[in-house]
Amino acid sequence: GTQHWLTKDEGGSWQPFSTPLTPTTSGERPLAFHAERTSWILFTGEKCAEETGGWWPFPRLVCHDEAFYVKDGFAQAVRDHKTGDLSGSGITSLLGDDHAVVKCIWARQTKEFDAMAEEAIFCLEIVTRGSGGSSSNAKRHGAPQTFNSTSMRHSQTQQQQQQKLHVRMLTGGTQQHNNAYSDKRDLADEIAGILDSQFARRTVQLIVSENFFDSQKTVHFGSGNDGTGGDQAGGGVLAISVLKNYIMVAISHAHSEEMDLFITMDGHVWAESHLPLPPGTQEDAYTILESSAHAVFVDVITSSNSVVGTLLRSNSNGTYYTQSLEHTHRSHNGLVDIER
C-alpha cells in the first residue's frame, strides 16, 4: 500500500506517512539513501493501470516504476498525513509523471565517492523506440512487466556484503523481471505483449543530473575495448552500483549473451573493465564483492560447476583484473564464501 511508518528514535515511536505510489515490486530497493545528507532520500514506486486501445481489444495491466525524492526525511509527508492528506503530496517527483525508470541512486551513496556534487543522481531510464524511430518513456500496449532484469543489490552473509549481477536476455532485446504481477498475466496479455514487441523495442539508458533533474545528460560509453561493446552493443544498461569510490555499470549486447562492465571514479569519464575470462563465460556469473578504496573484487564462474568460481582483483582504477584466488565457493543464489 501507500501508507508507511517512520521512526527516528530507534523504534521508540512511529509516525505514519503516505507516498504517491506503492513501493516498487521489481526486486530493487524502494529507498536509496544519501551517504552524507541523511534526510535526502530517493523513493521508487510502482504505477499500474488497466489499458485498452490499439489493435488488441481486451484490457491489460501496464506497470512501470517512477522515482521521487525528499530532502526532509519525509517530515512534510508525516505532517500531511496528520491533516488527512494521504496523497503523498509532500514527496516530489524526480523525473515527472509517467517517466519510467528501473532504479535511481545517489552518486554519493558511499562516503568514499565524493567526486560529484551532493545533488548528483544516476537513473536507469526506460526508453521505448517505436518501429518508426519514435522514442517514448511510457510502457504501452504490452503485457504487464517491470523492467528490472538485473539484480545488483546488497545481501549479507558472514558479515560480508555482496552484490550480484544477474542478467536475463529476452527476445527482441527487451528485458523483463519476474515480478509480483506475473500471476496477473493471462493468455491475452501474453499474446498482446509478444505481438507488440514486433513494433516497439524497449531499452534502458543511464542518465545523470546534478540538480535534481532540472537538467540532465545521457551517459555514453563509446564502443568498448573491441569496438563492439558499450553504446555499439545495442543492448542497453542492465545495472548500476556504487562501490566505495567506484561506480560500476553493466551493459548487455543486443544479439548475444555477452555483457560489458564499465567503471568510473569521477562520474564523468568511463572505462571498460578488462576481465581475463575464458570464452563462454556466462553473463550471470559475475558477483561484485564489497570492495576496498583501492581495488574492486569480482568473483566469476569459470566452469560448468555453478558453485565454484575464481576471485579477480582489479588495479587501482578498476580497469584491469588479475586472478587472486581459485576455486571459490558460492551458494546457488550467488553469495560467495569469502571474507577479507
Side-chain angles (χ1 to χ4, degrees):
T2 58
Q3 180 171 312
H4 318 286
W5 295 83
L6 170 70
T7 181
K8 294 185 178 181
D9 55 7
E10 299 180 349
S13 61
W14 295 84
Q15 297 175 306
F17 69 98
S18 297
T19 53
L21 301 175
T22 59
T24 176
T25 60
S26 68
E28 298 288 353
R29 293 182 175 182
L31 299 177
F33 298 91
H34 198 284
E36 298 165 346
R37 299 281 190 168
T38 57
S39 61
W40 291 13
I41 303 171
L42 299 176
F43 169 76
T44 303
E46 183 177 59
K47 177 183 285 187
C48 294
E50 269 197 358
E51 290 193 359
T52 57
W55 57 268
W56 189 253
F58 304 105
R60 53 192 179 272
L61 191 67
V62 178
C63 300
H64 67 264
D65 285 349
E66 297 183 14
F68 301 81
Y69 73 93
V70 297
K71 298 175 70 176
D72 61 359
F74 294 110
Q76 183 61 50
V78 169
R79 290 193 293 268
D80 290 344
H81 195 281
K82 289 180 179 179
T83 65
D85 182 358
L86 307 183
S87 65
S89 58
I91 301 173
T92 305
S93 175
L94 185 62
L95 294 167
D97 192 43
D98 288 328
H99 204 118
V101 300
V102 174
K103 67 183 293 187
C104 291
I105 63 170
W106 300 102
R108 294 198 180 192
Q109 185 170 295
T110 65
K111 292 183 178 180
E112 291 83 358
F113 193 90
D114 58 1
M116 300 186 74
E118 287 184 326
E119 299 86 353
I121 299 171
F122 287 94
C123 287
L124 298 185
E125 175 191 38
I126 300 169
V127 178
T128 302
R129 305 185 189 281
S131 58
S134 60
S135 178
S136 170
N137 184 263
K139 298 192 305 187
R140 308 286 181 185
H141 310 306
Q145 51 193 297
T146 299
F147 281 79
N148 180 20
S149 64
T150 300
S151 170
M152 205 170 180
R153 56 191 181 270
H154 289 287
S155 57
Q156 188 77 27
T157 180
Q158 296 181 353
Q159 300 180 349
Q160 176 184 356
Q161 288 184 332
Q162 300 178 6
Q163 295 173 300
K164 184 182 179 183
L165 286 168
H166 180 72
V167 182
R168 178 174 299 165
M169 299 297 295
L170 297 182
T171 303
T174 60
Q175 305 164 11
Q176 180 178 12
H177 188 274
N178 291 330
N179 57 72
Y181 285 88
S182 60
D183 58 344
K184 299 180 183 178
R185 297 174 183 165
D186 55 23
L187 180 61
D189 283 337
E190 293 294 346
I191 295 174
I194 292 171
L195 293 178
D196 280 332
S197 68
Q198 305 301 313
F199 302 97
R201 179 176 178 274
R202 301 179 180 92
T203 187
V204 178
Q205 65 183 14
L206 181 63
I207 56 177
V208 60
S209 174
E210 296 188 79
N211 54 14
F212 293 97
F213 284 92
D214 287 340
S215 61
Q216 69 182 54
K217 295 180 180 179
T218 301
V219 178
H220 295 285
F221 300 95
S223 58
N225 297 329
D226 58 3
T228 62
D231 296 334
Q232 298 297 320
V237 181
L238 296 170
I240 182 173
S241 188
V242 183
L243 303 160
K244 297 294 185 181
N245 54 335
Y246 307 95
I247 298 180
M248 294 193 74
V249 165
I251 299 177
S252 69
H253 287 232
H255 304 294
S256 73
E257 295 185 353
E258 294 182 61
M259 183 179 72
D260 301 326
L261 293 179
F262 281 77
I263 193 164
T264 181
M265 297 185 70
D266 62 7
H268 303 286
V269 179
W270 295 82
E272 186 175 356
S273 294
H274 302 250
L275 277 72
L277 303 178
T281 301
Q282 300 177 7
E283 62 186 10
D284 64 351
Y286 300 85
T287 298
I288 313 299
L289 305 179
E290 185 67 14
S291 302
S292 71
H294 307 289
V296 178
F297 293 86
V298 180
D299 189 80
V300 183
I301 297 175
T302 55
S303 69
S304 58
N305 188 343
S306 62
V307 298
V308 177
T310 299
L311 181 66
L312 305 176
R313 176 191 173 111
S314 78
N315 60 350
S316 60
N317 63 10
T319 54
Y320 288 89
Y321 289 74
T322 57
Q323 181 175 296
S324 179
L325 182 66
E326 290 186 293
H327 310 304
T328 56
H329 179 268
R330 63 167 65 197
S331 65
H332 291 287
N333 61 357
L335 297 177
V336 183
D337 295 331
I338 293 176
E339 182 175 353
R340 292 188 294 104

